[in-house]
Amino acid sequence: MISEDLKLSLYAEGCDIKQNEFLKYYTSFRIGGLVPYILFPKTLNAFINALSQLVKRSIPFRIIGQGTNLIVSDEPLKFVVLSTKYLNKMNFEEKNNMDLIVEAQSGVSLSTLSFLLSEDGYSGLEFACGIPGSVGGGVYMNAGAYDGEMKDVVVETTVLDLKDGKIKTLNKCDLEFGYRTSILQKGSFVLLSTKFLLKKDDLKRIKSKLIDFSIRRWEKQPIDLPSAGSIFKRPKPDFFVGTTIENLGLKGFSIGEAQISTKHAGFIINKGNATFNDVILLIEYVKRIVKDKYNVDLQVEPEIWE
């Protein structure tokens, strides 16, 4: 799939390369089969070069951040994976002594960024304090929690357009943000970095929000167990999926080692040795029950890689 010449070229340009790796070691669900190669670009230029080389050679690939919103087949996978692990640079620019522009590369942890900014009294990303993902994944799916979403703080995003190999800037309107969606899911753009606008606020008020959100997340979500986060999108504003599944008596229901969380029915957890098939069968079972009872079609929120 990747020739020796290409491996040497990628390495020389700043890419670490691992061969025949199991993705279960890179996903929060702890499920994922063998991939032929995982590339770890050390710089943004190395990332752009790797993308360009793979596209040029028509080598199929996927991009992984912190692996927190993925359901991955445990069969051998026929694509290369690019990790944004080392793309964690940030730049800060103060404006008018009240606003702050932060540019963060795609691999920056959302949670880390949220806490870092809060310590300096900047508000806007408190909702992300417990989101276990990266900037790239967060913008890609317009991640949100506690009445906040990425679209509320994003100013613009720098992307690589795989169609023509050019680096472009997309503003908030260009990104076409919606509920758990953006144009990044539809086109040929790969996110490189994003600029956020934060506002100066009272430090005590910011800290209070962070503590409140963190406690609520710990008390209500199975964050100590392997999962892919919320498993279903909310189909309409007044339809709460977790509550619906709980009311159907499905809390704790299992197929194999995949289980509907006893803490929050909107999550499916890996009890230890869940397979991809266990998870998919459980998802389809819940979808069927909800459809029969409420005539509502549930959509899966995490990406499924096969």
Side-chain angles (χ1 to χ4, degrees):
M1 179 178 284
I2 294 183
S3 67
E4 287 299 319
D5 286 347
L6 179 54
K7 278 192 276 186
L8 288 172
S9 174
L10 292 171
Y11 184 76
E13 290 288 338
C15 239
D16 280 350
I17 302 171
K18 290 189 178 183
Q19 191 169 348
N20 295 326
E21 287 280 294
F22 282 97
L23 278 186
K24 66 181 179 180
Y25 300 122
Y26 298 88
T27 66
S28 61
F29 224 154
R30 299 296 179 260
I31 301 172
L34 198 70
V35 289
Y37 298 96
I38 301 182
L39 309 181
F40 297 88
K42 294 293 187 69
T43 66
L44 207 55
N45 284 338
F47 183 56
I48 293 168
N49 175 66
L51 287 166
S52 300
Q53 295 287 358
L54 294 175
V55 170
K56 180 181 178 181
R57 291 165 173 78
S58 300
I59 297 173
F61 66 88
R62 305 283 175 88
I63 298 169
I64 193 169
Q66 297 191 9
T68 54
N69 200 48
L70 294 174
I71 304 171
V72 182
S73 171
D74 39 27
E75 295 294 320
L77 300 158
K78 297 179 181 179
F79 49 79
V80 172
V81 172
L82 282 87
S83 169
T84 61
K85 175 181 179 180
Y86 296 114
L87 305 183
N88 51 20
K89 300 291 189 299
M90 294 176 278
N91 291 309
F92 305 90
E93 179 186 354
E94 289 188 350
K95 288 186 173 293
N96 306 320
N97 296 319
M98 291 296 293
D99 298 344
L100 182 73
I101 296 289
V102 182
E103 183 171 15
Q105 291 182 350
S106 59
V108 170
S109 160
L110 277 177
S111 182
T112 298
L113 184 60
S114 173
F115 279 105
L116 181 65
L117 293 167
S118 72
E119 290 178 352
D120 288 330
Y122 289 102
S123 178
L125 267 174
E126 293 93 334
F127 72 89
C129 66
I131 295 178
S134 62
V135 165
V139 176
Y140 178 86
M141 67 171 293
N142 188 26
Y146 306 120
D147 298 322
E149 292 180 301
M150 298 302 288
K151 69 178 179 61
D152 300 330
V153 287
V154 168
V155 176
E156 63 183 33
T157 291
T158 302
V159 299
L160 176 68
D161 190 341
L162 299 179
K163 286 183 178 178
D164 56 21
K166 294 182 179 179
I167 295 174
K168 299 176 181 179
T169 299
L170 305 179
N171 62 35
K172 184 182 295 191
C173 292
D174 296 329
L175 286 163
E176 297 180 9
F177 282 125
Y179 174 65
R180 300 298 176 264
T181 187
S182 75
I183 197 172
L184 301 176
Q185 298 178 19
K186 308 167 188 174
S188 59
F189 301 126
V190 174
L191 187 147
L192 302 177
S193 65
T194 294
K195 286 185 178 180
F196 302 95
L197 174 63
L198 288 304
K199 300 284 186 180
K200 198 77 172 177
D201 201 353
D202 179 72
L203 187 57
K204 288 184 178 179
R205 183 158 52 241
I206 294 172
K207 289 288 187 182
S208 177
K209 284 184 184 180
L210 291 176
I211 292 169
D212 177 41
F213 293 163
S214 297
I215 290 174
R216 285 161 65 181
R217 191 178 292 273
W218 176 262
E219 289 179 342
K220 296 180 180 180
Q221 298 180 9
I223 59 177
D224 56 329
L225 296 169
S227 80
S230 296
I231 209 74
F232 297 109
K233 296 179 182 180
R234 187 181 297 176
K236 47 188 177 181
D238 60 345
F239 192 96
F240 297 94
V241 179
T243 303
T244 299
I245 295 171
E246 181 176 355
N247 290 342
L248 289 168
L250 294 177
K251 248 188 177 183
F253 180 79
S254 300
I255 292 181
E257 290 279 284
Q259 180 187 61
I260 296 172
S261 170
T262 57
K263 200 171 190 179
H264 190 310
F267 288 67
I268 290 177
I269 63 163
N270 178 355
K271 293 195 292 182
N273 294 297
T275 66
F276 176 75
N277 197 48
D278 291 340
V279 175
I280 297 301
L281 286 175
L282 186 52
I283 286 171
E284 292 304 318
Y285 179 77
V286 172
K287 288 172 68 175
R288 186 167 66 251
I289 297 295
V290 171
K291 176 67 173 178
D292 290 345
K293 181 70 175 180
Y294 298 99
N295 196 31
V296 169
D297 294 305
L298 294 181
Q299 291 186 330
V300 176
E301 184 171 308
E303 280 201 355
I304 297 175
W305 287 5
E306 296 183 80

